[in-house]
Amino acid sequence: MLKGCLRMKVGIFDSGIGGITVLKTAIEHLPQIEYIYYSDNLHVPYGTKPKNEVVGYVKDVVKFLVDQGAEAILIACNTATSVAVKELRTLYNIPIIGMEPAVKLALDDNKEGKVLVTATPLSLKEEKYKNLVAHVDHQHRTSSLPLPELVTFAETKDFDEERIEAYFKEKLEPFNLDEYVGIVLGCTHFIYFKKYLEKFLPEHIKIYDGNEGTVRHLGECLGITQIEHSVDPKITFYYSGKKCETNEILESYLKLV
């Protein structure tokens, strides 16, 4: 529910524009919230940097969002979640929602066959990811594959179909795709390339991401039980740390999702 007549403010952030895929899901399911989106383009990508460096960036962004009045934080970045969410929850007495690869969803959806989890190198080597897999994959059906170049492709708006399909072909060549039933997109940047991956993959393979489940969890944490169809979403967008006075950049990426 809304707090009186005022909209609840939620801060959403990512290392760049990958989290806009989460924002799009959020404004579809929870339009009654006022969103503050922060794209940390000055420090993108997170997934290939040292852990301590990324933790510092994340803490700075969260402090900024809280200073802007955010009453909850959604970390729309699997890498940032994996390295910093535990510490953030000790620093702030507000809901802090993180992302994690939809490994459980993919395994539950397919009782047999392998699942390939794609993410950034830092996400895949973190203890949080290893613990997740150990907890949900008792049959050892999960493989992992880092795809850091997809972050660069997204940030530079490089959506050349031939180049992207060649990249997927090269990276997936070592895997016998006949054995796989699902691929998990464990980075919000990767969702921009879902349609290219769908064209490339055999029809029996399903693609999973954690966006909808994360937004559903956000609503539960905030006590929101229904969509307010009568309101339009309100979004303030920060790009490279600067407030955008128009939503031109934001809207250009929302159209790509």
Side-chain angles (χ1 to χ4, degrees):
M1 66 183 74
L2 295 175
K3 297 174 65 177
C5 297
L6 300 176
R7 293 183 184 229
M8 182 175 290
K9 287 186 179 182
V10 172
I12 299 181
F13 78 94
D14 181 35
S15 61
I17 49 80
I20 292 176
T21 65
V22 184
L23 175 65
K24 188 173 189 294
T25 303
I27 60 181
E28 289 171 352
H29 291 269
L30 302 170
Q32 61 265 55
I33 289 174
E34 177 179 347
Y35 295 100
I36 309 169
Y37 186 87
Y38 191 108
S39 176
D40 192 19
N41 292 69
L42 289 175
H43 303 118
V44 68
Y46 284 173
T48 56
K49 289 183 168 63
K51 176 178 178 178
N52 289 344
E53 189 175 324
V54 175
V55 171
Y57 297 148
V58 170
K59 289 167 71 174
D60 288 345
V61 173
V62 171
K63 182 181 184 305
F64 177 88
L65 291 171
V66 171
D67 288 345
Q68 301 307 306
E71 299 161 88
I73 300 292
L74 195 166
I75 308 173
C77 174
N78 289 268
T79 301
T81 299
S82 65
V83 302
V85 70
K86 186 175 181 180
E87 182 176 356
L88 290 171
R89 286 171 178 161
T90 67
L91 296 175
Y92 296 97
N93 189 29
I94 60 173
I96 296 181
I97 313 301
M99 301 281 302
E100 68 179 19
V103 183
K104 185 178 187 302
L105 175 62
L107 292 172
D108 288 349
D109 208 24
N110 303 277
K111 299 307 179 184
E112 296 181 345
K114 295 181 180 180
V115 170
L116 180 62
V117 183
T118 65
T120 67
L122 184 53
S123 288
L124 293 176
K125 70 182 182 182
E126 273 301 300
E127 204 64 33
K128 191 175 190 303
Y129 171 72
K130 295 175 183 177
N131 290 339
L132 169 66
V133 171
H135 182 67
V136 302
D137 183 17
H138 305 297
Q139 297 176 314
H140 306 290
R141 295 193 286 135
T142 303
S143 305
S144 60
L145 175 66
L147 296 175
E149 293 85 0
L150 289 183
V151 177
T152 303
F153 290 154
E155 291 294 333
T156 57
K157 288 189 177 181
D158 184 352
F159 297 107
D160 180 82
E161 185 171 352
E162 186 175 330
R163 181 159 42 251
I164 299 303
E165 289 189 5
Y167 174 77
F168 280 132
K169 183 177 181 179
E170 176 191 349
K171 292 298 183 179
L172 293 172
E173 196 275 333
F175 299 89
N176 181 359
L177 295 181
D178 290 337
E179 299 178 351
Y180 286 82
V181 291
I183 289 185
V184 175
L185 303 181
C187 172
T188 53
H189 282 86
F190 295 1
I191 297 172
Y192 287 108
F193 305 96
K194 183 177 180 178
K195 62 182 180 181
Y196 303 100
L197 194 54
E198 286 174 335
K199 289 182 181 180
F200 175 80
L201 291 174
E203 290 185 359
H204 71 274
I205 298 180
K206 186 174 179 180
I207 301 174
Y208 299 87
D209 67 71
N211 285 12
E212 190 165 332
T214 301
V215 170
R216 191 183 309 118
H217 183 47
L218 172 66
E220 292 169 354
C221 289
L222 301 181
I224 301 175
T225 58
Q226 61 185 18
I227 300 174
E228 295 288 341
H229 293 286
S230 60
V231 299
D232 294 323
K234 181 178 179 182
I235 308 164
T236 304
F237 184 48
Y238 289 88
Y239 187 79
S240 296
K242 297 180 181 179
K243 183 178 180 180
C244 292
E245 299 303 329
T246 69
N247 279 341
E248 182 179 351
I249 299 174
L250 173 62
E251 290 169 358
S252 72
Y253 279 104
L254 287 172
K255 290 177 182 177
L256 290 172
V257 181

